[in-house]
C-alpha cells in the first residue's frame, strides 16, 4: 500500500509485523529508486570524526571540559544573557570549534551525494560547524536548526558582520565589536539559550510530511523542538537511526507500539554506518572518491596553514597578501602553476577562509525561546 503521494511505504516491504526494517532493507529502498525524497536529521555525532567534540560524552564532551572558564554552570557558555555580560568564555571556546579548523567527514559527503543523486529533500542539522556546507551541500538543502558560524551579527544594531573580521578576532583572542555602530558585541548566528530558532527552521517543517525515508544520524535527540521532528513523518514512512545507542523514546524498533514495524537501527559510529549503507547501495567507490576529492580542495585556514599553503605551492607571499611570483624550481620540476591558479591562490589567501554560503534573508519574526538543553552541535 502506498501513501497519498504514491511513494513506497513500510506496508509494502514488511507484510509480517515482526519482520521490521534493517539497514539492508533501507539500502534496497534507495538502490531500487523507491526512496526519492529523503530527509536527514543529524547531530554532533557526524562531526566527531572531524575532531569536533560533542557535548555529552563523559571525559571528552565539551560540557565536561569547561572548568577553566569558571562558568556558573556549563550551559552558561551558550546562554545569551551570560554572553552579553561575559563573552570571553564563548569566544575562547569558539577558537577551538571554528569551522576553518576542520574538514567534513564521510557522513557529510554522503549527504552531499544524496543531493547530487537528486533524492535529498532536506537536511536538518543541529550542528553549528557548517561542515555540511563545506562538503558541498547548497544552502537551500540545509536547515541549521540551531544556527551556525556561517554568519555573525551585532547584538545592538543587528548589522551583519564581516566574517573575515570575526575570524581574525577569534584567532587573535579578541572580542569582535561591530564596525557599524562601534559599540555592539558581535555574535555568530548560533541559537543560544534564550533566543529563537532560525526562521528557516519553521519554513521547511512541512518537508517531513512529504518525505519517503527519514535517516537520523549521530544525535541523542535531547533538544526540543528538534527531537520531535522524527514524529512529523507519516506513519508508514521508514526511519533509520545510525547512532552509538538506540533511542527508545522516539523509535519503536521492536514494533511493539505500532501496527507496522518501520524503525531500523544501526549501532555504531556514524561513518561506519554510512560506509555500510553506501556499500549496500553500491555507492562505496563514488562516496570515497567524493570524500577524497573534497578534502583535497579544502584549505583549513589558520595563521599556520596560510604559511604552510604558500610553502607547498612554492610561491612568495608579500605582506599585503599578493603573489610576488612563482619559483623557478617549481617550473623546472614541471609543477606548473597557471596564471589562473596564481590568481585563485591570491584570492584564497586574502580571504583566509572558505567562503560559506549563508541565508541572506532579512525576515524577522517574534523570538521563540527554546528549552534549555545541552546539545548544540
Amino acid at each position: 500500500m502506498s501513501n497519498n503521494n504514491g511513494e513506497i511505504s513500510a506496508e509494502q516491504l514488511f507484510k509480517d509485523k515482526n519482520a521490521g526494517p534493517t539497514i539492508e532493507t533501507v539500502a534496497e529502498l534507495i538502490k531500487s529508486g523507491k526512496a526519492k525524497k529523503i530527509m536527514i536529521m543529524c547531530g554532533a555525532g557526524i562531526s566527531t570524526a572531524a575532531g569536533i567534540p560533542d557535548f555529552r560524552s563523559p571525559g571528552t564532551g565539551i560540557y565536561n571540559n569547561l572548568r577553566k572558564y569558571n562558568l556558573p554552570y556549563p550551559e552558561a557558555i551558550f546562554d545569551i544573557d551570560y554572553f552579553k555580560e561575559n563573552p570571553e568564555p564563548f569566544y575562547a571556546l569558539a577558537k577551538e570549534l571554528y569551522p576553518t579548523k576542520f574538514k567534513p567527514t564521510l557522513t557529510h559527503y554522503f549527504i552531499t551525494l544524496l543531493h547530487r543523486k537528486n533524492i535529498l529533500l532536506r537536511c536538518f542539522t543541529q550542528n553549528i560547524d557548517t561542515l555540511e556546507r563545506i562538503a558541498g551541500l547548497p544552502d537551500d538543502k540545509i536547515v541549521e536548526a540551531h544556527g551556525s558560524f556561517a554568519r555573525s551579527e551585532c547584538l545592538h544594531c543587528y548589522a551583519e558582520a564581516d566574517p573575515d573580521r570575526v575570524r581574525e578576532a577569534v584567532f587573535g583572542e579578541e572580542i569582535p565589536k561591530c564596525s557599524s555602530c562601534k559599540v555592539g558585541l558581535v555574535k555568530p548566528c548560533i541559537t543560544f539559550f534564550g533566543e529563537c530558532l532560525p526562521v528557516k527552521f519553521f519554513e521547511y517543517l512541512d518537508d517531513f510530511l512529504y518525505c519517503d525515508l527519514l535517516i537520523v544520524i549521530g544525535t541523542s535527540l535531547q533538544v526540543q523542538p528538534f527531537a520531535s521532528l522524527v514524529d512529523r513523518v507519516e506513519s508508514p514512512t521508514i526511519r533509520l537511526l545510525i547512532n552509538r545507542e538506540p533511542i527508545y523514546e522516539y523509535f519503536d524498533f521492536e514494533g511493539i507500539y505500532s501496527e507496522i514495524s518501520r524503525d531500523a537501527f544501526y549501532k555504531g559510529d556514524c561513518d561506519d554506518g554510512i560506509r555500510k549503507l553506501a556499500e549496500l547501495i553500491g555507492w562505496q567507490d563514488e562516496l570515497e572518491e567524493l570524500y577524497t576529492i573534497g578534502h583535497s580542495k579544502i584549505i583549513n585556514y589558520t595563521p599556520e596553514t596560510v604559511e604552510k599553503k604558500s610553502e607547498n605551492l612554492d610561491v612568495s607571499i608579500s605582506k599585503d597578501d599578493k603573489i610576488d611570483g612563482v619559483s623557478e624550481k617549481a617550473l623546472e620540476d614541471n609543477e606548473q602553476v597557471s596564471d589562473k591558479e596564481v590568481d585563485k591562490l591570491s584570492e584564497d589567501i586574502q580571504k583566509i577562509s572558505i567562503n560559506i554560503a549563508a541565508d541572506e534573508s532579512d525576515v524577522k519574526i517574534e523570538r521563540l525561546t527554546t528549552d534549555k538543553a545541552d546539545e548544540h552541535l
Side-chain angles (χ1 to χ4, degrees):
M1 180 173 124
S2 300
N3 59 28
N4 292 334
N5 297 311
E7 306 296 349
I8 193 72
S9 72
E11 293 164 292
Q12 291 173 281
L13 288 178
F14 312 111
K15 295 180 181 179
D16 181 356
K17 180 179 180 297
N18 295 321
T22 63
I23 193 170
E24 286 80 11
T25 48
V26 170
E28 183 58 31
L29 267 180
I30 300 174
K31 186 176 182 179
S32 65
K34 294 175 181 176
K36 302 174 183 177
K37 301 175 183 177
I38 300 174
M39 288 292 293
I40 298 290
M41 291 176 60
C42 53
I46 76 168
S47 294
T48 54
I52 301 176
D54 62 18
F55 281 79
R56 301 174 59 82
S57 294
T60 60
I62 289 175
Y63 284 153
N64 285 279
N65 293 280
L66 295 178
R67 293 180 181 177
K68 58 186 175 182
Y69 300 124
N70 297 316
L71 301 169
Y73 53 93
E75 294 86 350
I77 203 162
F78 290 110
D79 186 286
I80 187 60
D81 293 328
Y82 184 82
F83 175 84
K84 290 176 179 178
E85 295 293 328
N86 184 20
E88 285 84 0
F90 169 78
Y91 273 110
L93 178 63
K95 184 178 179 181
E96 300 179 32
L97 300 178
Y98 218 76
T100 53
K101 296 179 64 176
F102 305 100
K103 293 182 179 182
T105 66
L106 199 71
T107 301
H108 291 101
Y109 284 105
F110 178 80
I111 299 171
T112 300
L113 186 56
L114 290 176
H115 163 64
R116 293 191 176 188
K117 299 286 186 180
N118 201 31
I119 56 176
L120 176 69
L121 182 55
R122 209 81 57 195
C123 172
F124 272 64
T125 178
Q126 292 174 287
N127 299 339
I128 61 176
D129 53 42
T130 73
L131 290 183
E132 296 88 1
R133 296 173 180 269
I134 297 174
L137 201 61
D139 179 76
D140 65 340
K141 290 295 180 179
I142 309 169
V143 174
E144 292 160 328
H146 298 155
S148 76
F149 279 103
R151 295 175 59 249
S152 299
E153 66 177 27
C154 173
L155 294 180
H156 179 72
C157 70
Y158 300 104
E160 185 168 348
D162 183 335
D164 289 344
R165 290 181 179 273
V166 174
R167 184 198 58 257
E168 290 167 2
V170 169
F171 283 103
E173 299 183 356
E174 301 175 355
I175 306 302
K177 295 293 181 67
C178 180
S179 60
S180 296
C181 69
K182 310 297 183 183
V183 296
L185 277 174
V186 169
K187 173 184 144 319
C189 295
I190 297 166
T191 306
F192 277 24
F193 299 128
E195 292 188 301
C196 78
L197 296 180
V199 174
K200 198 173 182 181
F201 177 87
F202 301 98
E203 290 179 337
Y204 289 101
L205 286 179
D206 284 350
D207 284 352
F208 288 89
L209 301 176
Y210 302 109
C211 76
D212 48 32
L213 175 63
L214 173 65
I215 304 178
V216 182
I217 320 172
T219 174
S220 56
L221 294 179
Q222 295 287 319
V223 180
Q224 294 291 358
F226 186 89
S228 64
L229 298 180
V230 297
D231 290 328
R232 292 184 66 88
V233 299
E234 295 288 340
S235 58
T237 303
I238 294 172
R239 309 183 301 182
L240 169 64
L241 173 67
I242 299 175
N243 207 41
R244 290 180 177 177
E245 300 295 335
I247 306 174
Y248 294 108
E249 182 179 356
Y250 293 101
F251 293 89
D252 182 17
F253 301 112
E254 305 299 328
I256 298 174
Y257 304 105
S258 58
E259 295 181 358
I260 301 171
S261 296
R262 63 164 177 161
D263 292 336
F265 176 54
Y266 179 91
K267 181 179 176 64
D269 291 337
C270 298
D271 281 1
D272 292 340
I274 288 301
R275 187 175 287 105
K276 175 69 172 179
L277 183 58
E279 289 176 1
L280 293 168
I281 301 171
W283 292 355
Q284 181 183 14
D285 292 344
E286 194 172 355
L287 177 60
E288 292 288 351
E289 182 181 13
L290 182 61
Y291 174 85
T292 301
I293 293 176
H295 273 207
S296 71
K297 293 181 178 180
I298 292 174
I299 303 172
N300 293 110
Y301 286 101
T302 64
E304 294 80 10
T305 55
V306 172
E307 181 178 356
K308 183 177 180 181
K309 176 67 178 176
S310 66
E311 291 173 354
N312 288 344
L313 291 181
D314 205 4
V315 296
S316 175
I317 310 301
S318 65
K319 290 183 179 180
D320 63 349
D321 293 337
K322 299 294 184 180
I323 302 297
D324 288 334
V326 180
S327 76
E328 294 180 2
K329 182 180 184 300
L331 297 177
E332 292 172 356
D333 292 341
N334 292 322
E335 295 176 6
Q336 299 291 337
V337 182
S338 67
D339 291 340
K340 183 178 181 180
E341 290 171 325
V342 171
D343 292 342
K344 180 63 169 63
L345 177 58
S346 178
E347 178 183 345
D348 284 344
I349 293 172
Q350 289 171 25
K351 292 179 178 177
I352 318 296
S353 69
I354 299 169
N355 286 328
I356 302 171
D359 183 6
E360 300 295 338
S361 173
D362 292 327
V363 177
K364 301 293 182 181
I365 63 169
E366 182 179 355
R367 294 192 171 272
L368 304 175
T369 302
T370 58
D371 294 339
K372 282 199 173 185
D374 57 1
E375 187 175 352
H376 281 253
L377 281 178

